[in-house]
């Protein structure tokens, strides 16, 4: 017998021990005596590989019950509470890191190039350009580059104008429902960054508020 055939017979023996399959040709030995219209049944044993899996699930279930009931592990209420606590901490951390998003008193203008670029983009996409012109020189709406303001030129006042609109009937609507809070801050920041630039055809100064002060 060469090595190869030894291996095969070893494998076969292993498979036999795992399945306890009845030898072919000797089915008569385990044939049950009932007969349903010619259909017969063999009394095969449950394969050991399958039984082993079955016993393992029973063992795990006992372990699980002891841990869950006896030691109060895997308690779903506790797991929920842990996750809720962790989520609350995450929310607090997010609020602490983004204070301007949660309280008007904390609004600060962005000054970094990336956020100012976003504000500029919004100024076009949110149709501000129609009334204020792309270089902010003004047409229906006032010039936003000079230091004369109808409603105030600091970041909180501009944010407030965007949120609640201008004076009634003047054409500057409240954008609160159509532009998100973050976007309104980005827009206000962009407008502030354009302070003192020279538009091609600036509209005459409007408003009594001077900001920044001369
Ligand atoms: C339909 C035209 C129109 C559109 C669109 C418009 N505005 Fe205005 N905007 C005005 C008018 C008119 C005023 C003056 C309001 C007043 O007199 O009370 C104004 C005022 C303002 C002010 C206050 C200026 C000041 O002197 O206090 C800011 C800031 C402003 N707009 C920004 C924006 C931004 C940002 C957008 C885009 C989201 C926008 N506007 C869209 C017409 C418009």
């Amino acid at each position: 017998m060469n090595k190869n055939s030894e291996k095969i017979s070893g494998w076969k023996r292993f498979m036999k021990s795992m399945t306890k399959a009845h030898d072919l040709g000797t089915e008569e030995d385990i044939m049950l005596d009932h007969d349903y219209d010619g259909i017969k049944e063999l009394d095969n044993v449950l394969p050991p590989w399958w039984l082993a899996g079955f016993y393992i699930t029973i063992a795990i279930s006992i372990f699980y019950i002891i841990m869950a009931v006896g030691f109060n592990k895997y308690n779903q209420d506790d797991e929920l509470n842990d996750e809720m606590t962790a989520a609350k901490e995450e929310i607090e951390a997010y609020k602490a890191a983004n204070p301007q998003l949660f309280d008007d008193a904390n609004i600060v203008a962005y000054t970094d190039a990336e956020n100012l670029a976003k504000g500029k983009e919004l100024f076009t996409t949110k149709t501000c350009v129609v009334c204020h012109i792309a270089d902010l020189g003004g047409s229906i709406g006032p010039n936003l580059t000079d230091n004369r303001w109808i409603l105030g030129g600091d970041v909180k006042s501009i944010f407030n104008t965007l949120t609640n609109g201008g004076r009634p009937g003047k054409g500057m609507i409240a954008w609160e429902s159509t532009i998100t809070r973050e976007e309104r801050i980005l827009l206000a920041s962009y407008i502030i960054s354009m302070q003192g630039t020279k538009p091609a055809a600036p509209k005459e100064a409007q408003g009594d508020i001077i900001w920044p002060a001369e």
Side-chain angles (χ1 to χ4, degrees):
M1 212 191 259
N2 65 28
K3 265 199 160 176
N4 210 20
S5 63
E6 263 171 40
K7 244 189 217 160
I8 289 170
S9 77
W11 174 246
K12 273 191 176 157
R13 245 183 288 130
F14 173 70
M15 286 306 277
K16 179 126 182 108
S17 73
M18 280 289 109
T19 59
K20 281 208 182 149
H22 202 80
D23 287 336
L24 290 179
T26 59
E27 286 86 356
E28 292 293 323
D29 301 347
I30 54 166
M31 183 92 74
L32 294 173
D33 55 7
H34 48 228
D35 184 332
Y36 303 101
D37 292 340
I39 298 171
K40 296 182 177 177
E41 193 185 353
L42 298 181
D43 185 17
N44 278 307
V45 294
L46 290 170
W49 70 263
W50 185 89
L51 266 183
F54 181 57
Y55 292 138
I56 288 169
T57 61
I58 293 175
I60 289 175
S61 72
I62 292 169
F63 173 76
Y64 183 84
I65 289 170
I66 291 172
M67 294 304 277
V69 179
F71 294 95
N72 200 28
K73 298 261 172 183
Y74 319 127
N75 179 314
Q76 291 192 355
D77 285 340
D78 287 352
E79 282 175 13
L80 177 69
N81 288 339
D82 287 352
E83 278 180 33
M84 292 302 278
T85 311
K88 272 192 197 129
E89 276 165 18
E90 262 176 54
I91 291 170
E92 290 309 320
Y94 184 77
K95 280 186 176 175
N98 301 278
Q100 78 277 23
L101 295 184
F102 297 92
D103 188 347
D104 289 359
N106 294 330
I107 292 175
V108 195
Y110 294 111
T111 50
D112 60 291
E114 192 187 332
N115 281 316
L116 294 179
K118 283 187 200 164
K120 181 175 185 171
E121 170 95 24
L122 287 166
F123 201 79
T124 305
T125 56
K126 299 295 180 182
T127 71
C128 321
V129 288
V130 177
C131 297
H132 293 282
I133 309 299
D135 63 10
L136 278 61
S139 84
I140 297 169
N143 179 352
L144 299 175
T145 64
D146 60 12
N147 67 348
R148 287 302 197 108
W149 298 88
I150 302 165
L151 303 154
D154 61 294
V155 66
K156 286 173 195 167
S157 300
I158 296 178
F159 176 81
N160 183 50
T161 305
L162 297 180
T163 305
N164 302 309
R167 296 168 298 172
K170 295 290 181 185
M172 175 71 182
I173 59 164
W175 298 92
E176 186 167 19
S177 56
T178 43
I179 299 183
T180 68
R181 185 182 171 88
E182 162 111 58
E183 287 173 338
R184 277 175 272 140
I185 298 174
L186 289 166
L187 279 165
S189 305
Y190 170 63
I191 291 170
I192 288 171
S193 77
M194 294 294 281
Q195 252 314 295
T197 56
K198 299 272 170 269
K203 204 178 170 189
E204 81 287 358
Q206 286 171 278
D208 302 328
I209 304 171
I210 299 175
W211 180 276
E214 274 157 343

